[in-house]
């Protein structure tokens, strides 16, 4: 296995990339707007997401942790926002290297986590559990679609951000597929086909970003030990040895940073090469052929997939589910569950604009929408004001 895997001439056939012209079906919007003088439709979508309130709130939402056990908040660990920016950098790089539409990839990466509730996956699990008692569920992809099509209010002529069809499809389908039988309301998003490669690559870029970043935060925090990481990941161990040999007099922390850069580069380089190989293997030259391929084409090679799984297994065992983090997760789930029950019992505690959604969306969904939009700090403050303990 080459850890610095590079493909010469890695750009894919031009017909595979999503067309960025205003005349393209995928560049269409629900509410017609005239073309911009010097920005493509997807560049405009990027700006719309960047200026959205929901995007700014990602700065106050947990990625893995914001505090260490028995310590206060830290400014050094990733938030959902900084994670999103790292995914965006990887996504643009991969899309450009493959000759795909980098502007579309950027818009999708910036919006891929916009639907996450507070407290990371612990908050999402608690919110989903609360909704299931009302025969509903919480899906952050579908909630992101609700945010960009309804909750964001930036224009006097319509609600939502009025994003292009390509970005809305990618928000829904970048990480999973949906069936028409289960979600007829998503019919316009080509449910019988895979999304374009620009959307497919987001999920893997997300995984690469958070695995390397969580190793970084875990080692930096002291929750993870360097010897543990070397034992768990052959890739990390091999590249750490390379970095030690290259910089024998460097501080240990700087050697770890160099190792993680090399790990990130190895995953990204492998992804570029594997996507190219899989497209070539089926002879795809058009977007339609990518959509109708036997399987999604954004993937890692078999050896690197093994490395990904090894790091992920290690992080789940030693970081995400570590004793200190389990306590934080339990507290987060308790706050979400209690506040959900409080608001269900007294909807008048919600702002008027949310109360106005109850007749059409139902009380349980409205309460979930309100909670999902909160930052970590705000939900705790509201929970405490409402008597939560």
């Amino acid at each position: 296995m080459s850890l610095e895997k590079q493909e010469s001439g890695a750009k894919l056939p031009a017909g595979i990339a999503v067309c960025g012209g205003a005349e393209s079906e995928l560049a269409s919007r629900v509410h017609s707007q005239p073309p911009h003088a010097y920005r493509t439709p997807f560049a405009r979508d990027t700006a719309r997401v960047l200026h959205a309130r929901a995007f700014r709130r990602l700065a106050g939402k947990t990625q893995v942790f914001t505090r260490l056990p028995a310590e206060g908040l830290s400014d050094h660990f990733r938030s959902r926002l900084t994670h999103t920016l790292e995914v965006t950098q990887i996504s643009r790089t991969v899309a450009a290297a493959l000759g795909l539409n980098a502007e579309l990839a950027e818009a999708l990466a910036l919006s891929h986590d916009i639907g996450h509730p507070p407290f990371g996956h612990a908050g999402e699990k608690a919110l989903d559990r609360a909704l299931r008692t009302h025969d509903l569920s919480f899906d952050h992809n579908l909630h992101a679609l609700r945010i960009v099509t309804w909750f964001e209010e930036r224009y006097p002529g319509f609600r939502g951000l009025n994003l292009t069809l390509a970005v809305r499809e990618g928000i829904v389908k970048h990480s999973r597929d949906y069936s028409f039988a289960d979600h007829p309301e998503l019919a316009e998003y080509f449910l019988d086909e895979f999304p374009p490669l620009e959307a497919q690559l987001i999920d893997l870029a997300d995984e690469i970003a958070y695995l390397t970043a969580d190793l970084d935060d875990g080692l930096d925090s002291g929750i993870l030990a360097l010897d543990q990481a070397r034992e768990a990941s052959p890739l990390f161990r091999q590249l750490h040895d390379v970095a030690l040999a290259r910089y024998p007099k460097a501080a240990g922390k700087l050697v770890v940073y160099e190792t993680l850069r090399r790990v990130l580069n190895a995953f990204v380089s492998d992804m570029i090469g594997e996507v190219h190989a899989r497209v070539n293997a089926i002879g795809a030259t058009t977007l339609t052929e990518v959509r109708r391929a036997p399987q999604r084409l954004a993937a890692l090679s078999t050896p690197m997939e093994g490395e990904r799984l090894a790091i992920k297994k290690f992080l789940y065992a030693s970081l995400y589910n570590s004793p200190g983090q389990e306590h934080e997760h339990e507290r987060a789930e308790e706050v979400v569950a209690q506040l959900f029950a409080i608001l269900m019992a007294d909807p008048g505690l919600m702002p008027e604009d949310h109360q106005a959604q109850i007749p059409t969306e139902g009380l349980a969904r409205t309460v979930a929408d309100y909670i999902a939009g909160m930052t970590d700090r705000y939900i705790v403050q509201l929970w405490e004001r409402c008597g939560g303990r």
Side-chain angles (χ1 to χ4, degrees):
M1 174 182 64
S2 173
L3 298 178
E4 301 290 338
K5 182 178 180 180
Q6 299 286 347
E7 287 286 335
S8 60
K11 291 194 186 306
L12 300 172
I16 286 176
V18 172
C19 175
E23 71 286 348
S24 165
E25 177 190 12
L26 289 176
S28 65
R29 304 181 190 276
V30 173
H31 305 281
S32 180
Q33 292 181 288
H36 195 274
Y38 50 85
R39 291 189 298 164
T40 68
F42 302 137
R44 296 175 77 181
D45 282 355
T46 293
R48 293 176 188 204
V49 173
L50 278 171
H51 289 285
R53 295 179 71 185
F55 183 79
R56 294 196 295 275
R57 288 197 299 269
L58 294 176
K61 297 192 178 189
T62 298
Q63 176 61 19
V64 175
F65 55 83
T66 55
R67 69 176 73 233
L68 297 178
E71 294 187 17
L73 296 176
S74 173
D75 294 329
H76 295 157
F77 303 127
R78 268 83 171 178
S79 67
R80 187 69 66 175
L81 178 62
T82 54
H83 162 72
T84 294
L85 296 177
E86 291 172 346
V87 175
T88 301
Q89 187 270 330
I90 294 171
S91 299
R92 267 204 78 106
T93 297
V94 172
L98 290 169
L100 299 171
N101 192 314
E103 289 182 335
L104 172 57
E106 180 177 26
L108 290 171
L110 288 172
S111 56
H112 86 281
D113 266 358
I114 206 168
H116 271 284
F119 299 136
H121 292 291
E124 182 171 7
K125 182 169 69 173
L127 199 53
D128 183 64
R129 185 185 302 119
L131 279 174
R132 288 189 182 277
T133 64
H134 300 274
D135 296 322
L136 299 170
S137 63
F138 186 84
D139 180 316
H140 71 265
N141 290 344
L142 301 186
H143 186 68
L145 183 66
R146 289 161 62 77
I147 288 172
V148 301
T149 58
W150 184 254
F151 289 117
E152 284 291 328
E153 295 184 83
R154 309 289 298 183
Y155 301 92
F158 49 80
R159 292 189 64 139
L161 300 179
N162 198 30
L163 301 180
T164 58
L165 177 57
V167 173
R168 287 181 282 119
E169 180 194 3
I171 287 173
V172 173
K173 293 165 56 181
H174 70 274
S175 61
R176 58 164 293 190
D177 301 313
Y178 296 83
S179 69
F180 178 80
D182 293 333
H183 293 279
E185 76 280 7
L186 302 177
E188 66 180 303
Y189 300 121
F190 314 102
L191 297 185
D192 59 342
E193 298 179 331
F194 292 123
L197 271 175
E198 288 88 347
Q200 291 186 36
L201 66 86
I202 301 299
D203 191 43
L204 193 49
D206 179 26
E207 185 117 348
I208 291 170
Y210 81 70
L211 290 179
T212 52
D214 294 351
L215 273 174
D216 186 8
D217 283 351
L219 290 166
D220 197 38
S221 68
I223 296 176
L224 300 180
L226 179 59
D227 287 346
Q228 287 179 305
R230 285 177 55 88
E231 177 66 24
S233 169
L235 176 64
F236 182 91
R237 181 172 63 251
Q238 182 175 349
L239 292 179
H240 188 245
D241 287 341
V242 170
L244 283 170
R246 178 68 177 82
Y247 302 102
K249 297 182 179 180
K253 180 178 288 189
L254 298 181
V255 176
V256 168
Y257 292 160
E258 177 65 21
T259 302
L260 290 171
R261 277 193 290 272
R262 290 170 181 261
V263 170
L264 177 61
N265 185 67
F267 276 122
V268 172
S269 298
D270 184 88
M271 178 184 177
I272 292 169
E274 185 65 16
V275 171
H276 192 267
R278 290 189 177 212
V279 170
N280 281 347
I282 65 170
T285 59
T286 67
L287 174 57
T288 298
E289 290 170 326
V290 168
R291 284 188 174 280
R292 298 175 181 175
Q295 61 185 349
R296 289 185 178 232
L297 300 175
L300 295 170
S301 67
T302 299
M304 288 298 280
E305 175 65 9
E307 297 287 356
R308 181 191 71 82
L309 292 173
I311 295 175
K312 191 167 185 174
K313 180 180 178 180
F314 167 59
L315 289 173
Y316 266 93
S318 302
L319 180 62
Y320 307 146
N321 296 326
S322 63
Q325 290 309 113
E326 284 186 351
H327 174 74
E328 290 294 316
H329 294 164
E330 289 170 1
R331 178 178 179 273
E333 291 179 26
E334 181 181 17
V335 169
V336 171
Q338 286 189 11
L339 186 58
F340 185 91
I342 289 168
L343 295 175
M344 287 292 293
D346 188 357
L349 294 171
M350 293 188 290
E352 291 184 1
D353 59 337
H354 280 276
Q355 293 181 49
Q357 303 298 317
I358 296 174
T360 56
E361 300 300 316
L363 178 57
R365 178 62 68 190
T366 301
V367 170
D369 287 342
Y370 181 40
I371 291 175
M374 297 177 185
T375 62
D376 295 9
R377 182 173 61 180
Y378 182 81
I379 191 174
V380 171
Q381 290 174 344
L382 181 59
W383 173 69
E384 291 176 343
R385 289 203 305 269
C386 293
R389 292 292 184 271

